[in-house]
Each structure stands twice: as C-alpha cells, then as structure tokens.
Amino acid sequence: MRNATIYDICDTPILECRNPTVPGENLRKLYKKLFGNPLFKHFILRWCSHPAIFQSQIGPYQQMMEAAMQATYENWQDKEWIETTFAPLAGLLDRVQDPQWRIREKADTKPPQIREKEVNEVLDAVLSDIIRIWDKKPKDPFFPVSAQVLMPGDSICDGENFMNIMTGLGSYEFQNINLLFGLMRCFLHANPLALKIFRRPWKGIAEPLSMRVSWITHRTGFYDDIFWEQIYNLYILEELPHAEQEKLREMLESILHFLIVTSMEWLEAPSSGIRHPAITCLPKDGNGNPLCNLKPRDWKAKKELGFDDYVPDVDTTFLALAMSRKWLDLVAEKDLKANQELLRAAEVFLDFPWVEIINEYQIGGGNKTNPPTITMTRPLDYFGSVPLWFDKPFKKDKEDGRIVRETLGNEICPGHNMDIFEAILANRYQWKALEGENLATLQRFLTFHHNAFRSGNFKEDSAVRFYLPEIYVSYAGRLYETWLTITENERQLIDPEGKVEQIRAAAMDYCKYDMLGATLNPFDASLAVATLCQLRYPHRGDGLIERGIKVLHDHLGEGFLRHPYKAYEWTMVRHPTRIIVGSEVTTSLFAMNAIACYKHYMK
C-alpha cells in the first residue's frame, strides 16, 4: 500500500473546496504559492511520502484541512477548536527527530601566539569590507542583512509548541502559514535525502547561511541598533586615521537618523494611555511603501504571510534609547561637530516616562492587559520580564472592521529584556529610575536575568526566541560595560545581593567552557572575544581570549565576493518555520566589534 504525500492529504480539501471562508481563501493562496512551486513540487515534495501515513489513513488529516478551509475568524481565536482540529498534525510533529546539526570537537586549549600584527590584520580586513558595503549606495547607505527560510523547520517545534504557537497568534494568515510549514516539517524529516537539500550539519554554534538565491535582503531598526553600538565601540577608541574616523561618525549619525526619525511611530501605553514614540522594524512611507530596503516582491510576500501591519517591539525601541543617550553624551564630552536636528530628535525621544511605560508591560509589575500569548521560551521564569511587542491593535476595515491584537503573538525573549534593563541604567537620571516604583521595576528586570543565569536555563536553545544563547550571553557583556559606569552607592541600591556579579561569572564560564571549549566559527569567536573583554575577564594573558582571535585570523578569506567571512546565523525566528538571519558584512561588523573590545581591554 502506497504511503501518502502532502498532496494526497491537501489537494482535495484545499483546491476543491467550493465555499471557503476568507481565512480559507488565504490558506488556498498560501498553499498554491508554497506547495505549488513547480520545482519544489515535482522534484522534491512529490516524492516525500510519510512512512507513518498510508493512503487509507489520510482521512483525519484531510478532515483537518477541510476544517481549516471552513474556519471562521472566531474559530481561529478559539483555543479549544484549534487544539481539537489540529491534533493529528501535533501528533505527527511529535514523531520528528532532528539530526545532530552542530559539529563540535574539543578545542586545543594551548595559548596561541597572537601578535598585534594579527589583530590589526583582522581589523583592516573587516573595516575595509564594512566601508566598501556602506559606500555602495551613497544616497541611501545601509548594511544589508539577509533572511534564509529553512523549510525543515525548528528543532523545538514539537506538537506541544506547535499548539502553543497556533493558539497564541492573532492573525489567521500567520496561523495558516504555520499550519503549512508544520506539515512540511513532518514530511521533509521523514525523507532524509530531501532533508539534505535544505539543511546540512555545520561546524560551530551559529549556522552558516547557504542557498544564496533564496535570501531575502532587507534592513530593520533592530539590526541598525546593534550595528550602531559596534561602530561606536570602534569610534571611541580614536585609533583610526582621520578619514576613517569621519566615516564612522557618518555611519553613526546616518544609522541613528534611520532609527529615531525614519522608523519612529506613535503609540499609547495600554493602561495609562500615555502617548509615546516607538521604533518599528519595518517602517513605511506615507504611501505604504517600505523604507527598509525590501524588494517589491518580498514586500508583497510579507503581506501574504500576515506581516502587512507590523508592531513596534520594545527591544528595538529601548536599544535606540540607549544609543541616543550614548550619542548625546559623546557629543557633549568630545565637543563633536554633530547634526543639531538629530541631537534634538534624540532629546525629544528620551523625554518620556519610559520606566513607567515599560512597567505597564512587566510581568510582576503593571502588566494587566498584555501578557505573553505564546509561552514556548521555557524553562525561563518569566517574573520581571516584558513581552516582545508594544500594544498596537489593528482594525481590519477591508474585511469586517474586526480589531486584531497580537498579530504575531507575544512572547518572552531574554535578550530583549537585557536591552531594556541596560537602557534604563544608561538613562537612570533622566528617567528617575532609582526612585520608588521605578526602582522596583528595574530590580524586577535584574531578578529575571539573575534567575535565568543562576539556574543555567540561559544555555537552553528553547529559552531564547530570536537568538542563540551565545547572543544573550553577549548582551551580559554590554550590560556590564554600562554597570561599570554606575557609582558604588548606586550599585548597592539596585543590587544589594550582588546579582550582577553572579551573572558576570556565569557568562564568563559559558564563554570559556561552552564556547571556547569546542569548535567555533568566526561569528561565534567574535561573540566570545567581545563578551569576555566587556566582562573584564580577570585572567588577562592566559590565552583564552586570544584563542578566539586566532579563530578570526585563521578564517580570514573564507567569504565570497571579497568578503573576509561567510554569513552566519545572527538572529532567527522559530515560526512559521525556522528563518535564520545574517550576512557577510554582519559577520565583519561583529568581528570588528570583537577587535575594538579587545583593544579597549588590553589598554
């Protein structure tokens, strides 16, 4: 008896349904686009049958798809209906067993001989790459970042997490695409030869991007936040020739303008109604056209996937607040000739009661209206944390005037919360963060991070939402840099129990044993070097940090198209499928940051 394919299950209920609902019509459109691609269909998926499903057993799966085609808006927001309807797929996802993707061998712990010559060779190579890419579009300079869709899905997407996602989303478009990718995950993993087409094991922690033809290149405020910080770290060294220093200053002002001017929109806090600015990752102009360097076909695809309206996230906003403070302070300290309009925009952006606003979203604080709707970042203790998205409901005027909330769901990611904590510390005087309830809000953030590090949960891939654990650990380095600017009396007020030092110790151990103790690629090595330097690793000269720099030097020239390095996974999303994000110039920026932090550390 023949085993069933996706087309055996889906073609009849989806393509032959006579009276689909509006959500059903969207499902049909997505199915044709995703599974109807001729190359994908006839050369790969048509031959991917499932060994656990015979033709005679497809009934429950077809009924599942028939129900989806007839689903109403109300059905898609009914937790019980979702769990009952899609139980067959959840059971199938529980059978998926991912291969061991990462190849890591025990590292040589012998201290390498790293000279200043090798350090400068890395810096020269990456800085040349960064400037070359920035200068490619003089009228609209930016650092391109690419997203690669991994068809086999995410390793933690079992039946339980699939249901958690489906019941937590506010957009039927996004629920439909999650449904289809859930099916694809099951069938690709049941066929090892097909699986190898899309994903293969790699050396190190962060996954290299492949299949360049499929990359979606774009720009977001979040990426620019991180790039700004990295460029700033090199700029304040003041070791480069004048022309290169001026180029870095140009980048800093241009990126900050994109963040706090181009990407700004206005929201209202959910409980107090305070009107405040926020930074969106996908800004649009007055005509609805993208300002994030997306190609028209990719912008159209974004709409079809349920991303037509985008909610500003707390992380991008608070990072931009921290960057604004650092720029204002640096301009004042060094008496720099800076763009006055941009300085005024930064001052206006900072001049809101940000601690009170974020308290309205904090679990254990003032969060009464916006709890996380998806809780798959376990085993984290959520006390003291803030979900990803600000409150921004949408009215579907073109359909029936429905109000849609939490379009992409709302989740807890520890890295986002570290950024908020650090931004509050950096702006503690202006925001009165060391007084009354504001201090309690700040301390709850510290408790959240302390719980994650003390328990060891920060090491779990399942505990992070948009990053690997090594990224979260690197944020602890940036936090500690800010912590060192705080007076001893302020530290005692915020952290009388020494939680920050315990976080520091756990982060250093992670860099030493979990990262540098085994195979790393250049992106991983950049994070390890920068983090240990920012944490003020106390055993300078023992060769630990230099082992990371050796990785960076040894891998120079591995990249394509004149880039010194390959593109590696920097950020990612887990649903609707695993999508990894990075670029060659992103790796160069992270390597540049590592060298800048190392030079600071060695002074």
Side-chain angles (χ1 to χ4, degrees), residues 104 107-108 112-114 118 122 203-205 515-529 543-558 564-565 568 587 591 594-595:
R104 304 195 69 203
D108 180 3
Q113 297 297 317
I114 295 294
E118 282 89 351
V122 174
K203 293 182 180 181
I205 301 174
M515 295 185 72
L516 289 162
T519 305
L520 295 181
N521 59 49
F523 185 82
D524 304 324
S526 297
L527 292 170
V529 169
L544 178 66
I545 295 175
E546 286 73 16
R547 278 160 45 198
I549 292 178
K550 186 176 188 300
V551 173
L552 290 173
H553 190 265
D554 289 351
H555 282 77
L556 280 174
E558 69 167 19
Y565 298 116
Y568 292 92
T587 310
I595 299 301

Side-chain angles (χ1 to χ4, degrees), residues 268-338:
E268 287 188 2
S271 297
S272 65
I274 296 172
R275 191 168 184 266
H276 65 86
I279 308 303
T280 180
C281 277
L282 297 175
K284 297 183 282 189
D285 64 19
N287 298 318
N289 297 315
L291 295 172
C292 47
N293 299 87
L294 264 173
K295 295 178 181 177
R297 63 177 176 84
D298 295 330
W299 186 254
K300 181 182 178 183
K302 181 186 76 72
K303 291 185 177 182
E304 292 172 347
L305 291 176
F307 287 96
D308 190 16
D309 292 305
Y310 206 76
V311 180
D313 64 279
V314 296
D315 182 33
T316 300
T317 299
F318 272 79
L319 278 168
L321 288 163
M323 305 310 128
S324 297
R325 169 53 55 203
K326 290 179 181 180
W327 185 240
L328 287 169
D329 289 350
L330 184 66
V331 169
E333 178 188 349
K334 301 292 185 181
D335 194 24
L336 299 176
K337 293 182 179 179

Side-chain angles (χ1 to χ4, degrees), residues 203-403:
K203 293 182 180 181
I205 301 174
E207 183 172 0
L209 275 69
S210 57
M211 301 179 70
R212 180 182 296 272
V213 68
S214 68
W215 293 2
I216 300 174
T217 299
H218 58 298
R219 177 188 196 180
T220 75
F222 169 73
Y223 307 153
D224 276 17
D225 273 324
I226 302 300
F227 296 154
W228 193 97
E229 175 79 13
Q230 293 166 337
I231 296 165
Y232 172 86
N233 285 340
L234 183 60
Y235 182 76
I236 60 176
L237 266 178
E238 299 181 332
E239 290 187 359
L240 298 178
H242 177 74
E244 291 181 346
Q245 279 290 110
E246 281 300 296
K247 178 61 68 173
L248 294 185
R249 187 187 62 79
E250 171 197 318
M251 293 177 186
L252 290 170
E253 289 200 319
S254 177
I255 291 172
L256 190 60
H257 184 276
F258 179 78
L259 287 168
I260 67 174
V261 178
T262 304
S263 301
M264 182 183 288
E265 62 178 79
W266 291 88
L267 301 176
E268 287 188 2
S271 297
S272 65
I274 296 172
R275 191 168 184 266
H276 65 86
I279 308 303
T280 180
C281 277
L282 297 175
K284 297 183 282 189
D285 64 19
N287 298 318
N289 297 315
L291 295 172
C292 47
N293 299 87
L294 264 173
K295 295 178 181 177
R297 63 177 176 84
D298 295 330
W299 186 254
K300 181 182 178 183
K302 181 186 76 72
K303 291 185 177 182
E304 292 172 347
L305 291 176
F307 287 96
D308 190 16
D309 292 305
Y310 206 76
V311 180
D313 64 279
V314 296
D315 182 33
T316 300
T317 299
F318 272 79
L319 278 168
L321 288 163
M323 305 310 128
S324 297
R325 169 53 55 203
K326 290 179 181 180
W327 185 240
L328 287 169
D329 289 350
L330 184 66
V331 169
E333 178 188 349
K334 301 292 185 181
D335 194 24
L336 299 176
K337 293 182 179 179
N339 183 306
Q340 293 301 308
E341 290 186 9
L342 183 62
L343 293 177
R344 284 193 293 273
E347 290 168 348
V348 170
F349 184 38
L350 288 166
D351 194 22
F352 288 84
W354 283 108
V355 183
E356 290 92 328
I357 291 167
I358 205 63
N359 173 265
E360 296 187 29
Y361 294 90
Q362 188 180 47
I363 296 170
N367 193 331
K368 301 178 179 64
T369 59
N370 294 72
T373 63
I374 299 173
T375 55
M376 59 188 283
T377 49
R378 295 299 189 183
L380 290 178
D381 178 350
Y382 287 170
F383 176 82
S385 65
V386 166
L388 295 172
W389 309 108
F390 281 113
D391 184 57
K392 183 183 178 183
F394 297 102
K395 188 174 182 180
K396 295 291 185 178
D397 293 321
K398 293 182 180 180
E399 294 177 12
D400 62 352
R402 290 174 300 116
I403 300 297

Side-chain angles (χ1 to χ4, degrees), residues 126 129-134 142-145 227 230 563-567 582-591:
V126 297
D129 188 47
I130 290 163
I131 293 173
R132 178 174 64 86
I133 296 303
W134 180 263
F142 76 107
F143 296 117
V145 179
F227 296 154
Q230 293 166 337
H563 294 289
Y565 298 116
K566 295 178 183 177
S583 66
E584 292 96 345
V585 73
T586 295
T587 310
S588 289
L589 282 153
F590 273 81

